[in-house]
Amino acid sequence: MAKKEKKAKKKNAVVDGETIVVEKKSVNLIVLLPIVAILAIAGSIVGTIITNKFITPPVANGQGIEAQGSAKITEDQVITPMDEFLVNLAKGDKEKPEYIRITLSLLTGGEKDSAEITQNVAVIRDSIVNTLRQKSSTDILSGAEGVANLKTQLRDSINEAYGKSIIVEVFITDFVIQ
């Protein structure tokens, strides 16, 4: 009977009503690891392509990018940088003095408006300082709309002080409250 069992093991045959199954070797890990690594890399590449193509909105050469959701920068508009401002803030909940250091850039309608701002920078700086001195740190930092409201108020006060709508948008390029 020992000879029959040896033959059965080789052929997975039935011996005396019993099925004898030959054990198969398990898959070698040396072969499995490179396959898993290749699948992971391929999945990452395909996922990146799908994300960039279908999920992320396209941007064409930086044109048409919205600035804070309110203004679109066109070719004829000019951004004019301002010098840094260091201003005492109004006293809010805290009794100790607080300061704001802020650097702004102003979006104008064109080269002509930018030149006017550069020539009459004292009017612009005065309206910015007066607006900032009326604000407390809690006014500026409270809620999601605090900085957006400050930018709108700065734009409106500059336009009012200048006597016409010369500023389209105010961009904050540096901002510290202490």
Side-chain angles (χ1 to χ4, degrees), residues 109-137:
E111 289 290 335
K112 180 182 171 188
D113 291 340
S114 179
E116 285 185 44
I117 287 174
T118 306
Q119 288 176 343
N120 300 316
V121 73
V123 174
I124 306 291
R125 290 189 64 84
D126 181 60
S127 63
I128 291 171
V129 168
N130 289 333
T131 303
L132 291 174
R133 286 192 48 79
Q134 296 172 9
K135 298 289 180 187
S136 68
S137 62

PDB file of all heavy atoms in Angstrom, residues 109-137:
ATOM      1  N   GLY A 109      -6.475 100.611 -11.843  1.00  0.00           N
ATOM      2  CA  GLY A 109      -7.053 100.377 -13.157  1.00  0.00           C
ATOM      3  C   GLY A 109      -6.054 100.411 -14.296  1.00  0.00           C
ATOM      4  O   GLY A 109      -6.336  99.924 -15.375  1.00  0.00           O
ATOM      5  N   GLY A 110      -4.883 100.976 -14.089  1.00  0.00           N
ATOM      6  CA  GLY A 110      -3.898 101.045 -15.158  1.00  0.00           C
ATOM      7  C   GLY A 110      -2.664 101.823 -14.750  1.00  0.00           C
ATOM      8  O   GLY A 110      -2.503 102.231 -13.592  1.00  0.00           O
ATOM      9  N   GLU A 111      -1.788 102.040 -15.717  1.00  0.00           N
ATOM     10  CA  GLU A 111      -0.534 102.753 -15.474  1.00  0.00           C
ATOM     11  C   GLU A 111      -0.770 104.189 -15.001  1.00  0.00           C
ATOM     12  O   GLU A 111      -0.052 104.697 -14.152  1.00  0.00           O
ATOM     13  CB  GLU A 111       0.331 102.772 -16.744  1.00  0.00           C
ATOM     14  CG  GLU A 111       0.920 101.426 -17.110  1.00  0.00           C
ATOM     15  CD  GLU A 111       2.000 100.973 -16.146  1.00  0.00           C
ATOM     16  OE1 GLU A 111       2.632 101.824 -15.483  1.00  0.00           O
ATOM     17  OE2 GLU A 111       2.201  99.752 -16.036  1.00  0.00           O
ATOM     18  N   LYS A 112      -1.798 104.840 -15.543  1.00  0.00           N
ATOM     19  CA  LYS A 112      -2.098 106.229 -15.168  1.00  0.00           C
ATOM     20  C   LYS A 112      -2.464 106.321 -13.691  1.00  0.00           C
ATOM     21  O   LYS A 112      -1.958 107.187 -12.964  1.00  0.00           O
ATOM     22  CB  LYS A 112      -3.228 106.756 -16.045  1.00  0.00           C
ATOM     23  CG  LYS A 112      -3.611 108.183 -15.748  1.00  0.00           C
ATOM     24  CD  LYS A 112      -4.773 108.629 -16.608  1.00  0.00           C
ATOM     25  CE  LYS A 112      -5.276 109.986 -16.143  1.00  0.00           C
ATOM     26  NZ  LYS A 112      -6.501 110.382 -16.799  1.00  0.00           N
ATOM     27  N   ASP A 113      -3.339 105.420 -13.231  1.00  0.00           N
ATOM     28  CA  ASP A 113      -3.734 105.410 -11.817  1.00  0.00           C
ATOM     29  C   ASP A 113      -2.556 105.059 -10.918  1.00  0.00           C
ATOM     30  O   ASP A 113      -2.406 105.624  -9.826  1.00  0.00           O
ATOM     31  CB  ASP A 113      -4.877 104.418 -11.592  1.00  0.00           C
ATOM     32  CG  ASP A 113      -6.181 104.876 -12.233  1.00  0.00           C
ATOM     33  OD1 ASP A 113      -6.303 106.081 -12.512  1.00  0.00           O
ATOM     34  OD2 ASP A 113      -7.062 104.016 -12.441  1.00  0.00           O
ATOM     35  N   SER A 114      -1.713 104.141 -11.352  1.00  0.00           N
ATOM     36  CA  SER A 114      -0.539 103.764 -10.573  1.00  0.00           C
ATOM     37  C   SER A 114       0.415 104.950 -10.416  1.00  0.00           C
ATOM     38  O   SER A 114       0.974 105.170  -9.342  1.00  0.00           O
ATOM     39  CB  SER A 114       0.180 102.591 -11.236  1.00  0.00           C
ATOM     40  OG  SER A 114       1.323 102.236 -10.516  1.00  0.00           O
ATOM     41  N   ALA A 115       0.586 105.719 -11.478  1.00  0.00           N
ATOM     42  CA  ALA A 115       1.443 106.905 -11.415  1.00  0.00           C
ATOM     43  C   ALA A 115       0.859 107.950 -10.466  1.00  0.00           C
ATOM     44  O   ALA A 115       1.591 108.609  -9.719  1.00  0.00           O
ATOM     45  CB  ALA A 115       1.628 107.490 -12.806  1.00  0.00           C
ATOM     46  N   GLU A 116      -0.475 108.110 -10.471  1.00  0.00           N
ATOM     47  CA  GLU A 116      -1.125 109.055  -9.553  1.00  0.00           C
ATOM     48  C   GLU A 116      -0.916 108.640  -8.098  1.00  0.00           C
ATOM     49  O   GLU A 116      -0.688 109.489  -7.234  1.00  0.00           O
ATOM     50  CB  GLU A 116      -2.617 109.152  -9.854  1.00  0.00           C
ATOM     51  CG  GLU A 116      -2.942 109.946 -11.088  1.00  0.00           C
ATOM     52  CD  GLU A 116      -4.439 110.100 -11.276  1.00  0.00           C
ATOM     53  OE1 GLU A 116      -5.146 110.393 -10.287  1.00  0.00           O
ATOM     54  OE2 GLU A 116      -4.899 109.908 -12.415  1.00  0.00           O
ATOM     55  N   ILE A 117      -1.003 107.349  -7.836  1.00  0.00           N
ATOM     56  CA  ILE A 117      -0.791 106.850  -6.470  1.00  0.00           C
ATOM     57  C   ILE A 117       0.634 107.136  -6.026  1.00  0.00           C
ATOM     58  O   ILE A 117       0.879 107.583  -4.909  1.00  0.00           O
ATOM     59  CB  ILE A 117      -1.087 105.335  -6.387  1.00  0.00           C
ATOM     60  CG1 ILE A 117      -2.580 105.098  -6.462  1.00  0.00           C
ATOM     61  CG2 ILE A 117      -0.526 104.727  -5.114  1.00  0.00           C
ATOM     62  CD1 ILE A 117      -2.958 103.645  -6.527  1.00  0.00           C
ATOM     63  N   THR A 118       1.584 106.895  -6.917  1.00  0.00           N
ATOM     64  CA  THR A 118       2.985 107.135  -6.583  1.00  0.00           C
ATOM     65  C   THR A 118       3.251 108.612  -6.315  1.00  0.00           C
ATOM     66  O   THR A 118       4.011 108.963  -5.410  1.00  0.00           O
ATOM     67  CB  THR A 118       3.887 106.625  -7.725  1.00  0.00           C
ATOM     68  OG1 THR A 118       3.554 105.255  -7.992  1.00  0.00           O
ATOM     69  CG2 THR A 118       5.342 106.701  -7.354  1.00  0.00           C
ATOM     70  N   GLN A 119       2.625 109.503  -7.078  1.00  0.00           N
ATOM     71  CA  GLN A 119       2.808 110.941  -6.886  1.00  0.00           C
ATOM     72  C   GLN A 119       2.133 111.439  -5.614  1.00  0.00           C
ATOM     73  O   GLN A 119       2.635 112.331  -4.942  1.00  0.00           O
ATOM     74  CB  GLN A 119       2.258 111.722  -8.078  1.00  0.00           C
ATOM     75  CG  GLN A 119       3.102 111.589  -9.318  1.00  0.00           C
ATOM     76  CD  GLN A 119       2.473 112.302 -10.509  1.00  0.00           C
ATOM     77  OE1 GLN A 119       1.291 112.625 -10.502  1.00  0.00           O
ATOM     78  NE2 GLN A 119       3.277 112.532 -11.540  1.00  0.00           N
ATOM     79  N   ASN A 120       0.966 110.909  -5.298  1.00  0.00           N
ATOM     80  CA  ASN A 120       0.180 111.381  -4.159  1.00  0.00           C
ATOM     81  C   ASN A 120       0.138 110.335  -3.047  1.00  0.00           C
ATOM     82  O   ASN A 120      -0.919 110.067  -2.463  1.00  0.00           O
ATOM     83  CB  ASN A 120      -1.241 111.713  -4.617  1.00  0.00           C
ATOM     84  CG  ASN A 120      -1.249 112.777  -5.678  1.00  0.00           C
ATOM     85  OD1 ASN A 120      -0.550 113.773  -5.579  1.00  0.00           O
ATOM     86  ND2 ASN A 120      -2.021 112.550  -6.731  1.00  0.00           N
ATOM     87  N   VAL A 121       1.269 109.749  -2.732  1.00  0.00           N
ATOM     88  CA  VAL A 121       1.318 108.675  -1.754  1.00  0.00           C
ATOM     89  C   VAL A 121       0.922 109.153  -0.356  1.00  0.00           C
ATOM     90  O   VAL A 121       0.425 108.364   0.451  1.00  0.00           O
ATOM     91  CB  VAL A 121       2.717 108.001  -1.769  1.00  0.00           C
ATOM     92  CG1 VAL A 121       3.767 108.891  -1.144  1.00  0.00           C
ATOM     93  CG2 VAL A 121       2.682 106.660  -1.101  1.00  0.00           C
ATOM     94  N   ALA A 122       1.079 110.409  -0.046  1.00  0.00           N
ATOM     95  CA  ALA A 122       0.719 110.929   1.284  1.00  0.00           C
ATOM     96  C   ALA A 122      -0.778 110.805   1.539  1.00  0.00           C
ATOM     97  O   ALA A 122      -1.196 110.474   2.652  1.00  0.00           O
ATOM     98  CB  ALA A 122       1.167 112.379   1.419  1.00  0.00           C
ATOM     99  N   VAL A 123      -1.597 111.056   0.533  1.00  0.00           N
ATOM    100  CA  VAL A 123      -3.055 110.929   0.684  1.00  0.00           C
ATOM    101  C   VAL A 123      -3.420 109.472   0.962  1.00  0.00           C
ATOM    102  O   VAL A 123      -4.251 109.179   1.832  1.00  0.00           O
ATOM    103  CB  VAL A 123      -3.775 111.436  -0.590  1.00  0.00           C
ATOM    104  CG1 VAL A 123      -5.266 111.181  -0.517  1.00  0.00           C
ATOM    105  CG2 VAL A 123      -3.488 112.907  -0.812  1.00  0.00           C
ATOM    106  N   ILE A 124      -2.800 108.562   0.238  1.00  0.00           N
ATOM    107  CA  ILE A 124      -3.077 107.129   0.400  1.00  0.00           C
ATOM    108  C   ILE A 124      -2.633 106.679   1.792  1.00  0.00           C
ATOM    109  O   ILE A 124      -3.386 106.011   2.507  1.00  0.00           O
ATOM    110  CB  ILE A 124      -2.331 106.315  -0.689  1.00  0.00           C
ATOM    111  CG1 ILE A 124      -2.649 106.818  -2.093  1.00  0.00           C
ATOM    112  CG2 ILE A 124      -2.601 104.839  -0.534  1.00  0.00           C
ATOM    113  CD1 ILE A 124      -4.027 106.581  -2.579  1.00  0.00           C
ATOM    114  N   ARG A 125      -1.418 107.011   2.180  1.00  0.00           N
ATOM    115  CA  ARG A 125      -0.891 106.597   3.480  1.00  0.00           C
ATOM    116  C   ARG A 125      -1.719 107.155   4.630  1.00  0.00           C
ATOM    117  O   ARG A 125      -1.980 106.467   5.611  1.00  0.00           O
ATOM    118  CB  ARG A 125       0.577 106.985   3.630  1.00  0.00           C
ATOM    119  CG  ARG A 125       1.510 106.172   2.740  1.00  0.00           C
ATOM    120  CD  ARG A 125       2.967 106.415   3.048  1.00  0.00           C
ATOM    121  NE  ARG A 125       3.358 105.990   4.383  1.00  0.00           N
ATOM    122  CZ  ARG A 125       3.705 104.744   4.718  1.00  0.00           C
ATOM    123  NH1 ARG A 125       3.705 103.800   3.798  1.00  0.00           N
ATOM    124  NH2 ARG A 125       4.056 104.451   5.960  1.00  0.00           N
ATOM    125  N   ASP A 126      -2.162 108.407   4.512  1.00  0.00           N
ATOM    126  CA  ASP A 126      -2.976 109.022   5.554  1.00  0.00           C
ATOM    127  C   ASP A 126      -4.299 108.274   5.733  1.00  0.00           C
ATOM    128  O   ASP A 126      -4.705 108.000   6.863  1.00  0.00           O
ATOM    129  CB  ASP A 126      -3.238 110.489   5.210  1.00  0.00           C
ATOM    130  CG  ASP A 126      -4.063 111.181   6.280  1.00  0.00           C
ATOM    131  OD1 ASP A 126      -3.597 111.238   7.441  1.00  0.00           O
ATOM    132  OD2 ASP A 126      -5.190 111.632   5.955  1.00  0.00           O
ATOM    133  N   SER A 127      -4.955 107.953   4.644  1.00  0.00           N
ATOM    134  CA  SER A 127      -6.241 107.252   4.770  1.00  0.00           C
ATOM    135  C   SER A 127      -6.051 105.843   5.323  1.00  0.00           C
ATOM    136  O   SER A 127      -6.887 105.361   6.092  1.00  0.00           O
ATOM    137  CB  SER A 127      -6.978 107.225   3.429  1.00  0.00           C
ATOM    138  OG  SER A 127      -6.246 106.497   2.482  1.00  0.00           O
ATOM    139  N   ILE A 128      -4.941 105.173   4.982  1.00  0.00           N
ATOM    140  CA  ILE A 128      -4.676 103.832   5.512  1.00  0.00           C
ATOM    141  C   ILE A 128      -4.395 103.905   7.014  1.00  0.00           C
ATOM    142  O   ILE A 128      -4.952 103.134   7.802  1.00  0.00           O
ATOM    143  CB  ILE A 128      -3.503 103.173   4.757  1.00  0.00           C
ATOM    144  CG1 ILE A 128      -3.928 102.850   3.323  1.00  0.00           C
ATOM    145  CG2 ILE A 128      -3.033 101.908   5.468  1.00  0.00           C
ATOM    146  CD1 ILE A 128      -2.799 102.396   2.418  1.00  0.00           C
ATOM    147  N   VAL A 129      -3.558 104.838   7.430  1.00  0.00           N
ATOM    148  CA  VAL A 129      -3.232 104.984   8.856  1.00  0.00           C
ATOM    149  C   VAL A 129      -4.484 105.313   9.660  1.00  0.00           C
ATOM    150  O   VAL A 129      -4.722 104.733  10.729  1.00  0.00           O
ATOM    151  CB  VAL A 129      -2.128 106.051   9.057  1.00  0.00           C
ATOM    152  CG1 VAL A 129      -1.977 106.422  10.521  1.00  0.00           C
ATOM    153  CG2 VAL A 129      -0.808 105.552   8.495  1.00  0.00           C
ATOM    154  N   ASN A 130      -5.312 106.249   9.175  1.00  0.00           N
ATOM    155  CA  ASN A 130      -6.535 106.616   9.893  1.00  0.00           C
ATOM    156  C   ASN A 130      -7.501 105.453  10.010  1.00  0.00           C
ATOM    157  O   ASN A 130      -8.159 105.284  11.038  1.00  0.00           O
ATOM    158  CB  ASN A 130      -7.210 107.816   9.232  1.00  0.00           C
ATOM    159  CG  ASN A 130      -6.440 109.090   9.439  1.00  0.00           C
ATOM    160  OD1 ASN A 130      -5.711 109.241  10.409  1.00  0.00           O
ATOM    161  ND2 ASN A 130      -6.581 110.028   8.506  1.00  0.00           N
ATOM    162  N   THR A 131      -7.595 104.644   8.980  1.00  0.00           N
ATOM    163  CA  THR A 131      -8.482 103.463   9.034  1.00  0.00           C
ATOM    164  C   THR A 131      -7.945 102.439  10.016  1.00  0.00           C
ATOM    165  O   THR A 131      -8.705 101.873  10.814  1.00  0.00           O
ATOM    166  CB  THR A 131      -8.626 102.832   7.634  1.00  0.00           C
ATOM    167  OG1 THR A 131      -9.127 103.812   6.737  1.00  0.00           O
ATOM    168  CG2 THR A 131      -9.563 101.644   7.661  1.00  0.00           C
ATOM    169  N   LEU A 132      -6.649 102.174   9.988  1.00  0.00           N
ATOM    170  CA  LEU A 132      -6.060 101.174  10.884  1.00  0.00           C
ATOM    171  C   LEU A 132      -6.123 101.610  12.346  1.00  0.00           C
ATOM    172  O   LEU A 132      -6.330 100.782  13.236  1.00  0.00           O
ATOM    173  CB  LEU A 132      -4.605 100.896  10.488  1.00  0.00           C
ATOM    174  CG  LEU A 132      -4.401 100.157   9.170  1.00  0.00           C
ATOM    175  CD1 LEU A 132      -2.929 100.074   8.821  1.00  0.00           C
ATOM    176  CD2 LEU A 132      -5.029  98.776   9.214  1.00  0.00           C
ATOM    177  N   ARG A 133      -5.968 102.914  12.632  1.00  0.00           N
ATOM    178  CA  ARG A 133      -6.001 103.400  14.017  1.00  0.00           C
ATOM    179  C   ARG A 133      -7.375 103.235  14.656  1.00  0.00           C
ATOM    180  O   ARG A 133      -7.491 103.206  15.878  1.00  0.00           O
ATOM    181  CB  ARG A 133      -5.572 104.863  14.083  1.00  0.00           C
ATOM    182  CG  ARG A 133      -4.079 105.026  13.893  1.00  0.00           C
ATOM    183  CD  ARG A 133      -3.572 106.396  14.218  1.00  0.00           C
ATOM    184  NE  ARG A 133      -4.014 106.986  15.481  1.00  0.00           N
ATOM    185  CZ  ARG A 133      -3.518 106.698  16.682  1.00  0.00           C
ATOM    186  NH1 ARG A 133      -2.589 105.793  16.798  1.00  0.00           N
ATOM    187  NH2 ARG A 133      -3.965 107.313  17.756  1.00  0.00           N
ATOM    188  N   GLN A 134      -8.408 103.136  13.861  1.00  0.00           N
ATOM    189  CA  GLN A 134      -9.763 102.963  14.376  1.00  0.00           C
ATOM    190  C   GLN A 134     -10.090 101.499  14.665  1.00  0.00           C
ATOM    191  O   GLN A 134     -11.121 101.197  15.251  1.00  0.00           O
ATOM    192  CB  GLN A 134     -10.779 103.513  13.381  1.00  0.00           C
ATOM    193  CG  GLN A 134     -10.650 105.001  13.162  1.00  0.00           C
ATOM    194  CD  GLN A 134     -11.533 105.477  12.023  1.00  0.00           C
ATOM    195  OE1 GLN A 134     -12.354 104.740  11.503  1.00  0.00           O
ATOM    196  NE2 GLN A 134     -11.353 106.732  11.632  1.00  0.00           N
ATOM    197  N   LYS A 135      -9.226 100.579  14.254  1.00  0.00           N
ATOM    198  CA  LYS A 135      -9.469  99.145  14.419  1.00  0.00           C
ATOM    199  C   LYS A 135      -8.752  98.614  15.649  1.00  0.00           C
ATOM    200  O   LYS A 135      -7.664  99.055  15.990  1.00  0.00           O
ATOM    201  CB  LYS A 135      -8.951  98.362  13.193  1.00  0.00           C
ATOM    202  CG  LYS A 135      -9.629  98.724  11.906  1.00  0.00           C
ATOM    203  CD  LYS A 135     -11.019  98.211  11.937  1.00  0.00           C
ATOM    204  CE  LYS A 135     -11.766  98.539  10.670  1.00  0.00           C
ATOM    205  NZ  LYS A 135     -13.151  98.168  10.784  1.00  0.00           N
ATOM    206  N   SER A 136      -9.375  97.640  16.295  1.00  0.00           N
ATOM    207  CA  SER A 136      -8.701  96.910  17.369  1.00  0.00           C
ATOM    208  C   SER A 136      -8.287  95.544  16.819  1.00  0.00           C
ATOM    209  O   SER A 136      -8.754  95.129  15.749  1.00  0.00           O
ATOM    210  CB  SER A 136      -9.627  96.736  18.574  1.00  0.00           C
ATOM    211  OG  SER A 136     -10.688  95.869  18.246  1.00  0.00           O
ATOM    212  N   SER A 137      -7.442  94.863  17.542  1.00  0.00           N
ATOM    213  CA  SER A 137      -6.988  93.550  17.069  1.00  0.00           C
ATOM    214  C   SER A 137      -8.146  92.566  16.974  1.00  0.00           C
ATOM    215  O   SER A 137      -8.174  91.724  16.074  1.00  0.00           O
ATOM    216  CB  SER A 137      -5.899  93.001  17.973  1.00  0.00           C
ATOM    217  OG  SER A 137      -6.390  92.805  19.280  1.00  0.00           O
TER     218      SER A 137
END
